[in-house]
Amino acid sequence: MKGSADRRWNSRIRTHFEISYSSGREDGSGILANISYSGALLTHTSVQPRLGSHVRVFILLSEDSPFEVVGKVVRHVEDGFAIEYADLSPELRRLVDDAAAIVANPRHVRPRRQPQQS
């Protein structure tokens, strides 16, 4: 029989992005600690929804627009919880790829324009 760790099919990417989330009438904030094509781990959360609760997570990869992820709480950890996505859309797949690129290249920010010297 396979253990619970064997149920995790997709490799996880360590991240550190600010998030906000809602579950029913509860709202909270925290950190996206890791992400994969099947789910995510949220830590330093202000509210811990019940197991099985549906959660809407807003990931702040850029200041322009948060990315929305919908999932179900599948596990609690000491300071947060893990979710499994309701659906792996092409947009969600792109989010995971973008998060991996940002983490791999933390200097992803565009360089400032240097003032021209006369």
Side-chain angles (χ1 to χ4, degrees):
M1 185 166 159
K2 294 186 176 196
S4 64
D6 295 331
R7 289 185 290 156
R8 297 180 188 157
W9 302 107
N10 297 297
S11 61
R12 290 172 297 284
I13 300 156
R14 287 186 186 180
T15 62
H16 191 88
F17 299 112
E18 292 182 23
I19 55 105
S20 61
Y21 58 92
S22 64
S23 177
R25 294 182 181 174
E26 295 181 316
D27 293 330
S29 62
I31 300 294
L32 175 69
N34 72 45
I35 190 169
S36 75
Y37 290 124
S38 59
L41 176 65
L42 312 175
T43 60
H44 299 90
T45 58
S46 55
V47 176
Q48 192 174 54
R50 291 186 324 240
L51 286 173
S53 298
H54 290 276
V55 179
R56 189 171 301 277
V57 180
F58 303 94
I59 303 167
L60 309 173
L61 282 182
S62 70
E63 294 177 13
D64 299 351
S65 59
F67 192 92
E68 183 178 335
V69 174
V70 177
K72 177 176 71 171
V73 178
V74 293
R75 181 169 46 96
H76 285 152
V77 295
E78 183 177 327
D79 65 343
F81 57 96
I83 64 167
E84 184 177 272
Y85 307 133
D87 179 36
L88 182 60
S89 66
E91 293 82 13
L92 183 53
R93 185 172 285 279
R94 234 181 344 269
L95 166 70
V96 175
D97 293 341
D98 288 351
I102 290 169
V103 170
N105 184 12
R107 297 182 191 267
H108 184 264
V109 179
R110 291 175 134 175
R112 287 186 183 178
R113 265 183 98 182
Q114 296 295 323
Q116 293 181 351
Q117 294 181 359
S118 305

